[in-house]
């Protein structure tokens, strides 16, 4: 039976990520992530929550190995989760997103009046 660290490593490798990339993505020290993967350290629940959100799986995967998607059955909600994760990975703030939306609206309105 795989331990939690092995499951984390499997997920990371399935997504073609290095320890540093995953650590940066979930805002966790990659050296400590390496210790967790090797079984030398136990992860805090907050780390598992971050990983389950990042990989869009249910947190129970780390304990039972079953990859159920973490979703509400609502496609719009899942899309918002994916967008917010993408924003976080690209360091886009909510203010920057709102500014982009304003500019897109301006472009749309300008094209409608032509």
């Amino acid at each position: 039976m795989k331990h939690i660290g092995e499951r984390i490593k499997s997920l990371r490798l399935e997504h073609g990520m290095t320890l540093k990339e995953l650590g940066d993505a979930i805002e966790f020290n990659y050296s400590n992530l390496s210790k967790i993967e090797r079984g030398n350290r136990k992860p805090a629940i907050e780390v598992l929550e971050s990983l389950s959100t990042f990989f869009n799986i249910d947190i129970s995967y780390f304990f039972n190995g079953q990859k159920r998607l973490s979703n509400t059955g609502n496609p719009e909600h899942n899309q918002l989760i994916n967008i917010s994760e993408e924003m976080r990975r690209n360091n886009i703030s909510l203010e920057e997103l709102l500014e982009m939306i304003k500019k897109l609206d301006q472009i749309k309105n300008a094209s409608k009046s032509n």
Side-chain angles (χ1 to χ4, degrees), residues 4-5 7-9 11-12 19 22-37 41-63 85 88:
I4 291 172
R7 290 193 173 111
I8 293 169
K9 184 176 183 177
L11 280 171
R12 178 176 62 79
L19 280 164
L22 181 56
D24 288 347
I26 64 166
E27 299 177 358
F28 187 72
N29 180 283
Y30 73 93
S31 176
N32 289 329
L33 190 57
S34 174
K35 290 174 186 172
I36 292 169
E37 283 190 359
R41 180 178 173 178
K42 299 287 183 210
I45 192 70
E46 293 83 9
V47 173
L48 296 179
E49 287 172 340
S50 294
L51 288 165
S52 67
T53 299
F54 180 78
F55 290 118
N56 195 30
I57 58 171
D58 194 88
I59 196 167
S60 64
Y61 164 75
F62 299 107
F63 305 101
E85 286 299 317
R88 191 168 60 82

Side-chain angles (χ1 to χ4, degrees), residues 53-114:
T53 299
F54 180 78
F55 290 118
N56 195 30
I57 58 171
D58 194 88
I59 196 167
S60 64
Y61 164 75
F62 299 107
F63 305 101
N64 65 21
Q66 295 178 2
K67 283 190 203 172
R68 294 181 311 205
L69 290 180
S70 175
N71 69 41
T72 62
N74 180 336
E76 289 87 11
H77 180 262
N78 294 333
Q79 191 172 23
L80 287 173
I81 290 171
N82 292 337
I83 289 169
S84 79
E85 286 299 317
E86 190 65 29
M87 285 175 56
R88 191 168 60 82
R89 279 193 293 273
N90 288 293
N91 295 318
I92 298 171
S93 69
L94 182 57
E95 292 78 22
E96 291 171 318
L97 178 62
L98 293 171
E99 188 61 35
M100 286 187 265
I101 291 170
K102 269 192 213 175
K103 289 182 182 182
L104 284 172
D105 283 341
Q106 290 170 349
I107 291 168
K108 282 182 189 177
N109 292 334
S111 67
K112 285 180 184 176
S113 34
N114 289 335

